[in-house]
Amino acid sequence: MTSTNKINQLIEVFLVELEGSDKASRTKDKYAYCITKYIAPAIGSVRIGEASSGVIDHFIRKVVEDVGPSTARSCGAVLSWMFKVALRHDAVTVNPVIGISIPRNKKAKPQGLTAEQYQDLRSKLIDWEQAPALGRPRTHELHEIADFLIHTGLRPGEFFALHWDDVKLDAAPPTVFINATVIRTSTGGVRIQDHPKSRHGVRRVTAPEFLVKQLQIRHERQKESGSPNPMNLIFPSSTGTICDPNNIGKIWRKASDAIGYEWVTFRTLRKSSATLIARTMGPEAAAYQLGHSKVSMTQEHYIEEYQEALDTRAVMDAFSPKEEPPPTDPNDEK
């Protein structure tokens, strides 16, 4: 590899290294997609030696403008790794990605649903599901998906990867074992990855009584319907295949807009779960429930800021001066 080779040739070498790395399958697919969709079409024909910081910066800014900071950061990570490969081949003397500024997404404060809000949303969601619709009939499972997500705090990918063998409804307490997730492949399809997003994502969470009953009813309904479900999934698609979280998310957005809860996403349900657990059991319990390695991540991105005043009067009374007994009158002793 020399400076006169084109970036497309560097891509070929990089993809071999990527495939042989210990990166998660999901990361490999994401990086390969960034190359195919953005990097190769835009700068693949540029010679490696001509890929200055200015060229890379212009490309990154265009990606930010077209699709946003998140994708631009992924492209930046890929390019940085690619030019490290070029450095080892002496095709460049400096990594041109160093010093490139990639804006971050604006962080909004976490906002979850209160119990009252969720009950209202759920009622309106069921009405929406049952209302007559033109064309294809509406799914009647959105409220069940929402129930599961808010009661467990799972990521949508973890949820749609669950098999019936992963739930122990007769155990004490009933548990759900999270050990996989649904990911998109570089070809645009979906598959089940045999591990969650991170090693901390492998966990067991308890299922409350309401969710246990709902799952038992669902299991019986599946057996009676005779619908195909070769993978024994709890929530398969209508044809018995793996559900695509992105596709279900689009249906959710349509429904949430229609019922006046356009700000609520699947992630909002996860934040709602984390916030309630943190309020009652502490942020460490919420971090475990969500499968996070750091409590600080849970607190920053998932737990809604507490707005009410904490009633600390009983504790703070410890600093109050103790009442002294009234002075005695010497004449009283006589």
Side-chain angles (χ1 to χ4, degrees):
M1 190 68 60
T2 68
S3 61
T4 59
N5 288 118
K6 294 184 177 180
I7 289 179
N8 277 332
Q9 292 169 290
L10 176 59
I11 286 172
E12 293 177 8
V13 177
F14 168 76
L15 288 175
V16 173
E17 181 165 316
L18 174 66
E19 188 58 34
S21 72
D22 60 356
K23 293 287 185 182
S25 298
R26 187 172 185 173
T27 303
K28 292 178 181 178
D29 289 336
K30 180 173 71 173
Y31 283 6
Y33 179 79
C34 285
I35 288 172
T36 304
K37 181 71 175 179
Y38 304 107
I39 297 173
I43 59 174
S45 59
V46 176
R47 296 188 186 278
I48 296 173
E50 296 172 351
S52 64
S53 294
V55 170
I56 302 299
D57 183 69
H58 178 76
F59 164 71
I60 291 295
R61 289 177 183 275
K62 188 70 169 62
V63 175
V64 171
E65 181 182 331
D66 292 344
V67 290
S70 294
T71 303
R73 296 191 69 80
S74 295
C75 288
V78 173
L79 286 168
S80 180
W81 188 352
M82 281 173 50
F83 281 99
K84 287 178 183 177
V85 175
L87 274 170
R88 296 203 303 268
H89 283 262
D90 293 324
V92 293
T93 56
V94 177
N95 188 331
V97 185
I98 295 176
I100 299 298
S101 177
I102 306 175
R104 292 185 177 273
N105 290 325
K106 293 182 180 179
K107 294 180 181 178
K109 289 186 177 181
Q111 181 181 6
L113 288 157
T114 64
E116 293 76 15
Q117 285 176 319
Y118 181 68
Q119 294 305 324
D120 181 59
L121 177 148
R122 187 178 189 273
S123 175
K124 291 176 178 177
L125 186 60
I126 293 174
D127 289 342
W128 179 87
E129 292 174 338
Q130 295 176 347
L134 297 175
R136 294 182 61 183
R138 291 173 176 169
T139 175
H140 287 185
E141 294 191 331
L142 278 184
H143 73 280
E144 290 190 30
I145 293 172
D147 285 340
F148 200 105
L149 293 178
I150 202 167
H151 280 90
T152 61
L154 266 62
R155 301 176 177 94
E158 295 171 339
F159 167 65
F160 289 115
L162 286 174
H163 301 80
W164 282 110
D165 293 338
D166 296 324
V167 295
K168 305 298 181 187
L169 302 181
D170 296 328
T175 59
V176 180
F177 180 39
I178 298 95
N179 58 86
T181 189
V182 174
I183 62 169
R184 294 190 68 83
T185 66
S186 56
T187 58
V190 293
R191 67 178 179 85
I192 293 179
Q193 178 180 274
D194 63 0
H195 57 275
K197 186 176 181 180
S198 69
R199 63 185 180 87
H200 295 277
V202 178
R203 62 201 188 280
R204 281 184 169 84
V205 300
T206 54
E209 183 180 359
F210 167 79
L211 194 60
V212 170
K213 292 179 179 178
Q214 196 177 65
L215 286 172
Q216 289 171 336
I217 293 171
R218 180 175 185 80
H219 199 202
E220 289 300 316
R221 192 168 70 231
Q222 278 188 0
K223 289 192 293 186
E224 292 172 2
S225 70
S227 299
N229 188 11
M231 300 180 69
N232 200 30
L233 296 169
I234 295 178
F235 273 83
S237 70
S238 57
T239 58
T241 57
I242 303 168
C243 274
D244 184 343
N246 288 352
N247 291 342
I248 304 299
K250 291 176 183 177
I251 301 172
W252 174 268
R253 285 192 292 274
K254 182 178 179 181
S256 60
D257 287 349
I259 64 176
Y261 280 93
E262 61 281 344
W263 60 277
V264 177
T265 65
F266 285 155
R267 198 177 188 194
T268 309
L269 302 178
R270 188 164 152 82
K271 292 176 183 178
S272 305
S273 178
T275 298
L276 183 58
I277 293 172
R279 294 278 186 273
T280 54
M281 302 177 66
E284 293 83 4
Y288 176 82
Q289 185 85 9
L290 270 58
H292 289 161
S293 59
K294 297 180 180 178
V295 176
S296 58
M297 178 191 295
T298 314
Q299 290 176 312
E300 182 178 359
H301 299 289
Y302 289 88
I303 299 174
E304 185 174 348
E305 185 177 333
Y306 197 70
Q307 301 292 339
E308 303 297 328
L310 290 173
D311 190 352
T312 59
R313 292 173 296 175
V315 179
M316 293 299 102
D317 277 345
F319 294 115
S320 301
K322 301 294 184 285
E323 293 186 6
E324 298 181 2
T328 57
D329 188 343
N331 294 325
D332 290 344
E333 294 180 0
K334 297 178 181 179

